[in-house]
Amino acid sequence: SQAGEWLLALRQGSITRTTLPVYVDMEPPEELLVPQPLRSTDDPAGRARQLLDEVRDSFELEPWRWSPVLDGVALASLEDPSLDASRQATDGGFLVEEVETWRCVDASVEDCVSSWAWSVEHRPRLLEQLNRAAGLGARALPDGRVEVGVLLPR
């Protein structure tokens, strides 16, 4: 068998009831992947970067290389979801065919990062070995929630 981590998603019909990590020939992280929410929106982008870096660090992975250009594209994509993020990234100097965009609106930055850390779709990209360039946009919404977006060139 190959060492690594797998997520086991237990579903009832189309609803995922729980997701559990399964570790094979590796030590699981000793701390929570994402700490309990602070529910602070003072600096949602800085907090999201910090949490995403901490998740990667807990698996002994280098943090993503945060790019100011991709940060700008990620924030613009939150403000205008119809924006062609791939084209904007290319116009900013990144030669990419496409970008993967993550978007979350929730009560806190911690809730957004936690949802990605435990998502069967997002976790493999979050924990891949590549130290890739990434962009992050985040903002506090008038209703007290936060919106966070991550941009990953492919």
Side-chain angles (χ1 to χ4, degrees):
S1 90
Q2 184 177 1
E5 178 203 56
W6 287 265
L7 289 183
L8 174 65
L10 300 176
R11 297 178 188 228
Q12 183 177 20
S14 62
I15 299 170
T16 300
R17 295 294 180 185
T18 191
T19 305
L20 305 167
V22 176
Y23 299 95
V24 177
D25 294 330
M26 71 173 284
E27 291 293 321
E30 293 181 15
E31 299 178 16
L32 289 174
L33 284 181
V34 180
Q36 295 301 310
L38 298 175
R39 308 244 185 249
S40 169
T41 57
D42 292 341
D43 181 13
R47 181 70 175 146
R49 275 188 202 87
Q50 175 190 3
L51 291 172
L52 288 164
D53 289 348
E54 287 175 5
V55 169
R56 288 183 56 80
D57 183 62
S58 69
F59 286 88
E60 299 180 358
L61 297 169
E62 293 292 321
W64 283 332
R65 290 175 285 124
W66 298 107
S67 160
V69 170
L70 294 177
D71 289 348
V73 175
L75 184 58
S77 294
L78 293 180
E79 294 168 355
D80 180 3
S82 68
L83 185 80
D84 183 346
S86 296
R87 180 173 177 195
Q88 294 294 317
T90 300
D91 289 349
F94 283 85
L95 300 176
V96 297
E97 290 183 24
E98 63 179 313
V99 294
E100 183 175 339
T101 304
W102 301 354
R103 182 177 176 269
C104 173
V105 175
D106 213 322
S108 71
V109 171
E110 291 83 357
D111 290 334
C112 284
V113 174
S114 184
S115 73
W116 292 328
W118 292 107
S119 160
V120 174
E121 293 81 24
H122 296 95
R123 190 175 179 110
R125 291 277 284 162
L126 180 57
L127 298 180
E128 68 187 359
Q129 292 290 328
L130 295 175
N131 180 10
R132 67 176 58 251
L136 188 139
R139 61 186 180 163
L141 299 174
D143 64 4
R145 297 179 304 159
V146 295
E147 183 176 30
V148 183
V150 171
L151 199 71
L152 298 169
R154 291 186 184 209

